[in-house]
């Protein structure tokens, strides 16, 4: 007798950067990291996670206003993770699970590092994007002032404070 299943559901596994694998079905939308059989904690990001998981909504709005994506879509988590994947191609796996109707997301990224380290990396890369954009501004004084402020910016402190405000231990955290 055949087993009942959800049409389109693959119930597949994702190969991780560490060499282990994880079942897609184990990764619900509230998962931000998990303990792996390799002994490490791996960060998990899904396309349904808002960019405000990493930076405040006000900054997300600015990024959306100023960044033209090559795909014509609004700047979102997919674009953030694309930047991370570009910088760390051996440390991030991405998986299109859009054919798997048993999950509520279409794209999945899993990092070889934990969620906090991924958060730091995303913030560092957003700062680099902003520095690059400001460096092309016509106002050299503004660019110089911004660069000075960014040298004083403490990524680790920002991530600590942001994660406290967002209360990542609960599934009901709200954007800051």
């Amino acid at each position: 007798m055949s087993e009942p299943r959800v049409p389109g559901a693959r119930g597949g596994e994702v190969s991780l950067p560490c060499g282990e694998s994880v079942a897609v079905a184990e990764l619900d939308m509230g998962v931000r990291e998990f303990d792996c059989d390799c002994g490490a904690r791996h960060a998990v990001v899904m396309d349904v996670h808002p960019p405000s998981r990493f930076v405040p909504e006000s900054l997300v709005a600015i990024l959306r206003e100023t960044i033209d994506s090559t795909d014509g879509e609004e700047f979102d988590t997919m674009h953030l993770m694309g930047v991370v994947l570009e910088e760390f191609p051996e440390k991030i796996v991405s998986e299109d699970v859009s054919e798997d109707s048993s999950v509520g997301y279409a794209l999945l990224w899993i990092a070889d590092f934990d969620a906090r380290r991924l958060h730091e990396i995303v913030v560092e890369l957003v700062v680099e994007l902003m520095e690059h954009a400001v460096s092309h501004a016509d106002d050299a004084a503004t660019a110089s002032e911004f660069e000075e402020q960014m040298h004083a910016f403490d990524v680790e402190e920002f991530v600590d404070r942001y994660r406290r405000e967002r209360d990542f231990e609960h599934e009901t955290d709200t954007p800051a």
Side-chain angles (χ1 to χ4, degrees):
M1 176 181 224
S2 65
E3 289 186 36
R5 66 181 197 90
V6 177
R10 293 185 313 203
E13 292 198 347
V14 177
S15 296
L16 304 174
C18 66
E20 297 289 335
S21 62
V22 64
V24 173
E26 290 182 35
L27 304 172
D28 65 55
M29 291 184 284
V31 173
R32 291 186 183 87
E33 66 182 3
F34 67 92
D35 292 318
C36 181
D37 291 340
C38 75
R41 292 182 68 86
H42 295 296
V44 176
V45 179
M46 298 161 190
D47 60 327
V48 295
H49 294 167
S52 60
R53 169 180 169 177
F54 302 105
V55 295
E57 285 287 335
S58 58
L59 181 55
V60 172
I62 291 169
L63 292 169
R64 286 181 172 156
E65 285 177 25
T66 57
I67 295 177
D68 291 325
S69 64
T70 57
D71 62 4
E73 295 291 321
E74 179 178 72
F75 185 84
D76 214 343
T77 301
M78 179 178 65
H79 299 99
L80 279 177
M81 292 309 298
V83 172
V84 175
L85 185 58
E86 190 174 303
E87 288 292 316
F88 297 94
E90 303 298 320
K91 301 286 185 180
I92 305 282
V93 295
S94 62
E95 188 78 17
D96 180 346
V97 295
S98 58
E99 295 295 317
D100 189 337
S101 60
S102 67
V103 298
Y105 51 91
L107 296 172
L108 170 71
W109 297 269
I110 302 176
D112 201 28
F113 26 79
D114 66 15
R116 187 182 191 301
R117 178 64 187 130
L118 175 62
H119 196 160
E120 290 174 349
I121 289 168
V122 168
V123 171
E124 289 167 357
L125 293 172
V126 166
V127 167
E128 284 181 24
L129 282 171
M130 293 167 56
E131 282 181 322
H132 179 74
V134 170
S135 73
H136 290 289
D138 293 334
D139 186 356
T142 301
S144 178
E145 181 182 338
F146 181 82
E147 189 172 319
E148 202 173 294
Q149 290 174 357
M150 288 302 99
H151 285 299
F153 181 69
D154 185 338
V155 171
E156 289 182 19
E157 176 64 23
F158 171 83
V159 169
D160 284 341
R161 290 180 63 194
Y162 194 72
R163 291 175 77 81
R164 273 194 309 273
E165 288 178 28
R166 285 294 305 265
D167 190 19
F168 283 125
E169 297 304 315
H170 296 88
E171 290 185 22
T172 59
D173 72 291
T174 57

